Amino acid sequence: MVRDVQSYDVIGFGDEVPGVLAVIAAAREYRRRTNKYPRILLISKNNLQEGIGGHLVRGRLAYLDRTQIDAETRKKYGLGTFGDPASLYKEFLQKSAVNGIALDPQKAGEALKQMLKEAGVNLLSNFKIASVTKSGQNLTGIVASNGITYNAKVFIDATVNAELAQAAGVKKHKGFETFGLPESELPVTLVIETQGLSVKRIKELDFAYNKRFTNPADQEAQKYLLQAAGFDAKLAENLKQEMLDTRGNLRTLWAGNDHIDIRSPALSVAYHSFRGIKMSLEQTGVLLDEGNVAILPGERLSWNALLFKVSGSEAENLARNGGKPTPKMLQEFKFAETWLKSLGATSVTPGSELYIRHAGNVIGVVEPLNGSKMLFGGVAENEAIATFSYHFDVRGGIPGLGDTASTKGWGKSLNFRPPLFNIGIRHALIKNVPNLAVVSPGSGFEGLASSAGRIVEFNAAVGQGLGIAAIIAVLNNRNLADITNLEVRKVLDQTGQTPRIFGQNFSFEGTLLAQFEKLVLGPVVA
């Protein structure tokens, strides 16, 4: 029997934005060097007819997490609000008509589709891995469930759970196993898009709920507050305090041109009292959190707010199932839909895929990246491919981390300042499968690093770097794992694509986090 084999230079697996940008960068670099179109394939487990771009497009996550840089640093380096992101990510945002934070999923999907077409990248969707083929340590091909083998010289895995890497035999920590907590995981979100609820209406509701829930004389509101707290008087009081700032003023929402930051739990209290379930993610498994809301054209709002608790195993299973929400999650969405319509929404639509923040991390990368390295400023300035800043964002918390820290004798705070660090690619390169990279929240992060390293804007820069590295490897018959940050940086310099580099070494905080990591991080098995 003759096997059906298709051969490529580079295969990208997973259509999350960093992976898409990686294959686009590879295609452009190949053409720049050879003046020929490359043989590059982007494979997705999901249906690309529903849109290209993973959880930002099919999952409708329109509120982008942008790099966070303080005013002093921006002034010092002459930077805009969001610093100077990687050039390919900036191009994607521009083609998606993003002015600040809000990304219209439909425009994003169209932009990526067009960029892929112009780059000459082939697409394949609804893909199921049956097995892989290897030659020595190197991955040589992916065998589909229909028997066709797709071969390549270099592979880039952009799935949240590093699914191709796992199929290729790469070991992986589950959940936050680096902390000895394999079943502890960040919650997932089912993004909700509403139409018909105006920003003005949301402001009015937020103000009214804050005012009523903080007024002890409003007996009806106090009854609802206590119900949302699961009749826990202490929790009810804490929620009430969170509705006031340090001066005693109401913590009403903040609305920008294209986004809303809900700063108080008042709207959440209203929902949970309507639902009759306690505002405790740990106890009930569901929480309408203080929302990050993107403002989209046509009076549409995209809500990153509805959280579901998952274990490390559940996060992996959800990722393997294409990020599809469970029946239980869709049932909760129906309650949210009813509530939002009661507030004035004319239509309420869920993302077709979940926003899975994290699903473990691969082991055995060339240079693991932990939180202290981020706080120390990341890679050297001369080899950096971009700079990024974001807080160690463990939305919903890492269950058991506080107890683990206490048990091991850590008596200090677990809140560390946001790192401002230079980006490289070596944490994404796999030592034992040297022609494979993983660019996602599942890259080679340890400890708290994944909570900043999971952000799309960071991974988009890594993806661009990996695309360039892949072509250096292909054209020079080298392993991807041997390509250095400096080699990629030289290409960026030569082609005028290098963004401003301005990482900072926060030595005190970095040393403190290094002490915590040494105390708490479990042994890593290569």
Side-chain angles (χ1 to χ4, degrees):
M1 178 182 168
V2 178
R3 296 181 70 181
D4 191 349
V5 177
Q6 296 184 21
S7 296
Y8 296 88
D9 294 310
V10 179
I11 289 179
F13 188 81
D15 74 304
E16 293 295 341
V17 168
V20 177
L21 297 184
V23 294
I24 291 169
R28 290 180 179 182
E29 182 62 12
Y30 186 94
R31 195 166 185 212
R32 183 184 77 86
R33 289 176 179 241
T34 66
N35 209 27
K36 297 176 183 176
Y37 278 105
R39 296 171 301 165
I40 295 181
L41 176 67
L42 177 64
I43 294 174
S44 176
K45 293 165 49 179
N46 300 81
N47 183 4
L48 296 181
Q49 295 299 315
E50 293 179 15
I52 300 168
H55 74 274
L56 294 190
V57 174
R58 294 185 300 276
R60 297 177 183 258
L61 184 68
Y63 187 109
L64 291 176
D65 291 318
R66 303 299 311 273
T67 193
Q68 300 173 342
I69 303 167
D70 63 89
E72 186 180 336
T73 301
R74 294 201 306 270
K75 185 178 179 183
K76 180 180 177 182
Y77 292 96
L79 300 166
T81 305
F82 304 114
D84 194 15
S87 61
L88 197 50
Y89 187 67
K90 276 197 287 191
E91 180 185 335
F92 162 63
L93 296 183
Q94 183 262 325
K95 288 182 174 177
S96 302
V98 173
N99 295 314
I101 283 176
L103 174 81
D104 188 323
Q106 188 172 348
K107 289 180 182 176
E110 288 301 318
L112 292 172
K113 185 179 179 181
Q114 187 61 31
M115 290 168 77
L116 286 163
K117 184 179 179 181
E118 289 170 358
V121 176
N122 295 301
L123 303 177
L124 184 62
S125 64
N126 299 310
F127 189 93
K128 291 183 181 177
I129 299 177
S131 61
V132 300
T133 58
K134 294 179 78 173
S135 176
Q137 288 187 311
N138 279 22
L139 179 63
T140 55
I142 312 172
V143 183
S145 55
N146 63 4
I148 299 175
T149 300
Y150 297 87
N151 287 343
K153 297 170 185 174
V154 170
F155 296 83
I156 299 173
D157 184 349
T159 58
V160 68
N161 61 327
E163 194 161 331
L164 176 59
Q166 290 191 71
V170 177
K171 293 179 181 176
K172 178 173 158 288
H173 279 311
K174 191 161 55 170
F176 282 91
E177 196 170 351
T178 57
F179 284 135
L181 300 166
E183 291 303 337
S184 291
E185 193 47 282
L186 299 181
V188 301
T189 289
L190 181 59
V191 176
I192 296 172
E193 188 178 291
T194 59
Q195 193 161 14
L197 264 178
S198 67
V199 176
K200 181 174 179 285
R201 172 67 172 153
I202 297 297
K203 278 183 175 180
E204 290 168 353
L205 288 165
D206 179 71
F207 177 79
Y209 286 142
N210 273 291
K211 189 175 181 181
R212 291 194 65 188
F213 290 137
T214 54
N215 179 7
D218 190 331
Q219 293 185 4
E220 184 182 40
Q222 297 312 302
K223 182 184 76 173
Y224 290 140
L225 174 62
L226 192 60
Q227 189 174 27
F231 301 97
D232 179 337
K234 186 178 179 183
L235 175 58
E237 185 57 34
N238 288 342
L239 289 168
K240 194 184 296 185
Q241 291 305 312
E242 288 174 22
M243 296 176 199
L244 302 169
D245 64 20
T246 52
R247 296 181 177 180
N249 299 316
L250 297 177
R251 283 176 60 88
T252 49
L253 61 79
W254 187 89
N257 291 329
D258 69 347
H259 66 287
I260 301 169
D261 290 330
I262 295 173
R263 307 187 306 144
S264 150
L267 281 166
S268 304
V269 166
Y271 176 71
H272 281 264
S273 63
F274 160 78
R275 274 289 281 118
I277 57 171
K278 186 176 182 179
M279 275 186 68
S280 170
L281 186 64
E282 184 65 27
Q283 292 178 33
T284 68
V286 62
L287 176 69
L288 187 76
D289 200 13
E290 294 162 22
N292 303 128
V293 185
I295 303 169
L296 300 172
E299 211 170 62
R300 290 179 297 143
L301 299 176
S302 170
W303 300 70
N304 173 6
L306 189 58
L307 304 181
F308 296 95
K309 180 185 175 183
V310 292
S311 66
S313 297
E314 286 168 339
E316 174 69 30
N317 290 336
L318 286 168
R320 284 186 177 271
N321 195 39
K324 297 299 181 188
T326 65
K328 187 177 178 182
M329 293 173 184
L330 291 173
Q331 185 180 12
E332 187 64 38
F333 163 75
K334 284 296 183 184
F335 286 111
E337 178 183 29
T338 300
W339 180 69
L340 287 162
K341 283 186 173 179
S342 76
L343 301 182
T346 53
S347 75
V348 184
T349 310
S352 63
E353 293 173 24
L354 295 165
Y355 170 26
I356 302 173
R357 290 174 171 80
H358 181 250
N361 293 96
V362 291
I363 306 169
V365 296
V366 173
E367 291 179 16
L369 182 56
N370 57 32
S372 56
K373 285 182 183 176
M374 289 179 171
L375 281 169
F376 287 137
V379 305
E381 185 176 337
N382 71 311
E383 64 180 64
I385 61 174
T387 301
F388 183 69
S389 179
Y390 205 79
H391 60 292
F392 294 115
D393 181 7
V394 290
R395 187 170 184 177
I398 302 173
L401 182 58
D403 292 341
T404 299
S406 297
T407 301
K408 297 207 174 184
W410 183 261
K412 300 170 187 174
S413 170
L414 291 177
N415 292 319
F416 299 92
R417 69 163 299 151
L420 176 57
F421 64 103
N422 295 331
I423 301 171
I425 63 169
R426 307 282 281 168
H427 68 284
L429 306 178
I430 308 294
K431 279 191 295 188
N432 294 332
V433 187
N435 66 332
L436 171 67
V438 175
V439 56
S440 79
S443 297
F445 302 114
E446 295 176 359
L448 288 178
S450 63
S451 62
R454 66 186 179 82
I455 303 301
V456 168
E457 187 160 322
F458 165 80
N459 282 303
V462 178
Q464 182 175 355
L466 288 174
I468 293 168
I471 298 310
I472 296 173
V474 166
L475 294 179
N476 293 282
N477 199 27
R478 293 170 61 192
N479 276 326
L480 183 61
D482 295 329
I483 308 302
T484 64
N485 294 325
L486 192 57
E487 289 176 276
V488 175
R489 170 63 180 271
K490 283 179 179 176
V491 172
L492 293 174
D493 287 345
Q494 289 165 5
T495 55
Q497 296 181 83
T498 309
R500 297 288 298 278
I501 305 298
F502 49 94
Q504 292 185 27
N505 181 353
F506 301 123
S507 57
F508 176 78
E509 287 270 348
T511 300
L512 197 63
L513 182 49
Q515 291 170 356
F516 173 72
E517 289 169 339
K518 185 177 180 182
L519 182 71
V520 178
L521 288 181
V524 175
V525 182

